[in-house]
Amino acid sequence: MYAVFKRELFSLLNSLMAYITIGVFLLASGLLLWFFPDTSILEYGYAELSGFFGLAPFLFLFLIPAITMRSFAEERREGTYILLATRPLTDWQIIFAKYLACLVLVLFALLPTLIYTYSISELALPKGNIDTGAIIGSYIGLLLLGAAFVSIGIFASSLTKNQVVAFALSVFLCFFAYSGFEAMSQIFAFRSFENILLNLSVNEHYQSMSRGVLDTRDLVYFLTFILAFLGLTKLVIGGRKW
């Protein structure tokens, strides 16, 4: 499993697409957070990163599918998955190796944004007067959100040989998981199921963690969500005659 993880990670790091997507993510988040007047923290006037944590999930909707779209789709297109499947590895080991490699790349994309925390800490009056607990909780929530989106991306990639189709399907599923249930809860016909639909919404649990409250229910939700989509991936690749 470690060999597959290392192979997958180095393959991603050797891909120009990974650097382009991470670069676009950092550029977009930096411009939105510091330069565009409508979203600039300098215009907002408060030493907090709520703007960044509100924008990051929508950037993740495109960043993560771009990273995960090649996971199984490229293997199927080039016919290399058959060679991988003949190795002494279980389907779960292959899935987790690919999943963890993509998750590490998402972590690499998040690490440079820690400079935003240092920046607002230096800009705050008095210096260092920031809500550290809320920022830590938000970063944990954002990492779990990224992990959930990666599991969706891996699943979407296992469904098709075409990377573009995998990307589009992953974007749709991530968007629906993030906002779809919440939107459905506002429809009159579904009002009686409002609480159930809100509890299924990724955004609801992400916002809860962004307030700096680490609730075990939110952690259990994200872990269950991730395992559910990885389980669906296992069903897809396990039931296919390659």
Side-chain angles (χ1 to χ4, degrees):
M1 179 177 168
Y2 175 71
V4 177
F5 164 76
K6 187 167 66 172
R7 163 184 169 266
E8 193 71 17
L9 182 59
F10 286 162
S11 177
L12 287 168
L13 292 175
N14 289 329
S15 169
L16 185 61
M17 177 60 73
Y19 294 102
I20 291 174
T21 52
I22 291 175
V24 169
F25 169 74
L26 294 174
L27 178 63
S29 62
L31 289 173
L32 289 168
L33 190 62
W34 298 102
F35 293 100
F36 292 169
D38 292 339
T39 56
S40 172
I41 193 172
L42 300 177
E43 296 290 334
Y44 181 55
Y46 292 93
E48 61 179 30
L49 288 175
S50 58
F52 168 69
F53 293 115
L55 293 167
F58 294 99
L59 298 176
F60 269 9
L61 287 175
F62 299 96
L63 165 72
I64 292 176
I67 291 173
T68 60
M69 65 182 183
R70 64 192 300 277
S71 300
F72 284 100
E74 187 178 34
E75 299 265 18
R76 290 186 61 198
R77 184 175 61 82
E78 296 182 355
T80 55
Y81 186 82
I82 299 174
L83 297 174
L84 187 61
T86 57
R87 301 290 181 181
L89 291 164
T90 65
D91 289 340
W92 277 115
Q93 287 175 318
I94 295 171
I95 291 169
F96 273 115
K98 289 178 174 291
Y99 173 78
L100 291 174
C102 293
L103 188 58
V104 167
L105 206 63
V106 173
L107 183 61
F108 286 165
L110 280 178
L111 284 176
T113 66
L114 292 175
I115 196 172
Y116 300 156
T117 305
Y118 174 76
S119 299
I120 65 166
S121 177
E122 291 295 306
L123 291 171
L125 293 175
K127 187 178 292 187
N129 184 31
I130 59 174
D131 189 349
T132 307
I135 292 176
I136 292 173
S138 296
Y139 265 110
I140 293 173
L142 193 57
L143 184 59
L144 288 172
L145 177 70
F149 282 179
V150 169
S151 68
I152 293 176
I154 293 289
F155 168 66
S157 183
S158 70
L159 294 174
T160 177
K161 294 181 181 180
N162 191 308
Q163 293 187 40
V164 177
V165 174
F167 174 82
L169 181 60
S170 180
V171 170
F172 170 75
L173 290 175
C174 288
F175 178 77
F176 184 81
Y178 185 75
S179 299
F181 290 109
E182 191 172 2
M184 287 173 62
S185 69
Q186 303 303 315
I187 299 174
F188 180 77
F190 295 101
R191 278 299 176 89
S192 57
F193 302 101
E194 184 175 357
N195 289 334
I196 296 174
L197 291 172
L198 284 176
N199 285 330
L200 290 173
S201 172
V202 172
N203 184 36
E204 184 72 13
H205 295 276
Y206 171 67
Q207 293 299 332
S208 175
M209 298 189 75
S210 295
R211 291 190 287 269
V213 179
L214 297 180
D215 195 324
T216 53
R217 290 173 296 183
D218 298 324
L219 296 175
V220 169
Y221 169 83
F222 277 109
L223 291 176
T224 304
F225 186 96
I226 292 165
L227 290 174
F229 271 96
L230 293 183
L232 289 173
T233 308
K234 167 69 169 62
L235 288 176
V236 171
I237 68 171
R240 178 178 287 133
K241 295 181 179 179
W242 298 87

